[in-house]
Amino acid sequence: KKYFGYSEFNSMQENIIKDVLANHDVFVLMPTGSGKSLCYQLPAIMKEGTAVVVSPLIALMKDQVDSLKANGIGAAFINSTLSNSEIEDVKIRLLENKDKILYVAPERFASYDFLAFLKMLKISLFAIDEAHCISEWGHDFRPEYRKLNMIKAMFPNVPIIALTATAIPDVEKDIMAMLRLDNPRIYKASFNRPNLSYHVRPKEKTY
């Protein structure tokens, strides 16, 4: 209510948030618009330290960070749109515990310097957004996402929440295996969208 203006949770959000707060790894398959971001943003505010959110979409990072700041939540992003001096400014804020949520592109995990920097922070959780990008079975495979399999080895006690709106069963298994999720709690929402309707009609006079 204080930060996001909601008085109640959507379906499954409360249980997901409780599992993340209890330091469980979590896999979330929920359609677009169902409130996936709250499932890691609220625990990030409540837990001690900084949450690291991996996102492949630079525009979405900026939108999320702008929205969080507007709600009074310390947030930042590190991606290719920032200069080296701007990145250093972000790092200083993080070391001074001024930001609760850091958005990064998956390419950052190929950098030893960045990983060394993360080791200097108290990480509260890792959120892997668009997690289907890690799977070669997926429709939007991003090779950079494969580097994320090092997270569990480097931060064994930090919970990971993997979120996606699009995953067939093979992709679900691949996400959990590649991220090395430890006995994850699994949440799958219905993909029925009552605000959308579908009409299937025979094709006539194609040409």
Side-chain angles (χ1 to χ4, degrees):
K1 184 74 175 174
K2 176 180 177 182
Y3 291 106
F4 301 100
Y6 302 125
S7 55
E8 58 186 25
F9 291 107
N10 287 346
S11 173
M12 299 196 301
Q13 282 180 323
E14 184 173 6
N15 288 332
I16 293 169
I17 288 165
K18 284 179 177 177
D19 276 338
V20 176
L21 289 173
N23 290 330
H24 296 301
D25 288 344
V26 182
F27 172 81
V28 177
L29 178 62
M30 291 167 65
T32 301
S34 56
K36 289 191 294 295
S37 59
L38 189 72
C39 294
Y40 58 81
Q41 290 175 348
L42 188 56
I45 295 167
M46 296 173 69
K47 288 171 72 73
E48 184 183 351
T50 301
V52 177
V53 182
V54 179
S55 172
L57 305 170
I58 287 175
L60 182 63
M61 282 189 212
K62 185 176 187 315
D63 286 348
Q64 294 265 8
V65 169
D66 288 347
S67 176
L68 288 164
K69 285 181 174 179
N71 289 341
I73 301 162
F77 60 78
I78 293 178
N79 60 38
S80 57
T81 67
L82 299 184
S83 67
N84 288 337
S85 63
E86 288 172 323
I87 290 173
E88 289 306 311
D89 289 343
V90 171
K91 288 180 175 180
I92 290 169
R93 285 184 57 84
L94 291 164
L95 290 169
E96 294 175 349
N97 299 314
K98 290 181 178 177
D99 289 324
K100 293 293 290 180
I101 304 178
L102 171 67
Y103 284 80
V104 296
E107 291 83 358
R108 291 284 149 187
F109 284 81
S111 164
Y112 175 80
D113 289 346
F114 180 73
L115 292 171
F117 171 71
L118 287 186
K119 280 288 191 182
M120 299 167 65
L121 304 177
K122 180 173 179 56
I123 307 295
S124 59
L125 64 96
F126 285 96
I128 315 301
D129 205 8
E130 310 292 345
H132 61 272
C133 294
I134 203 170
S135 175
E136 292 189 64
W137 293 97
H139 71 282
D140 196 22
F141 174 57
R142 293 273 295 264
E144 303 88 356
Y145 262 69
R146 292 291 197 183
K147 300 283 196 307
L148 303 180
N149 65 3
M150 68 179 68
I151 290 176
K152 192 53 86 171
M154 295 189 67
F155 302 90
N157 299 317
V158 178
I160 297 175
I161 176 170
L163 311 103
T164 180
T166 53
I168 60 173
D170 283 332
V171 173
E172 293 174 29
K173 294 174 189 171
D174 211 19
I175 290 169
M176 290 184 267
M178 286 300 301
L179 291 174
R180 302 175 185 175
L181 301 189
D182 180 18
N183 190 26
R185 307 299 200 263
I186 298 172
Y187 293 90
K188 300 181 189 181
S190 167
F191 280 78
N192 179 41
R193 299 283 294 276
N195 60 322
L196 301 178
S197 59
Y198 304 90
H199 302 274
V200 181
R201 295 174 178 159
K203 185 166 61 175
E204 297 176 359
K205 298 180 181 178
T206 307
Y207 297 100

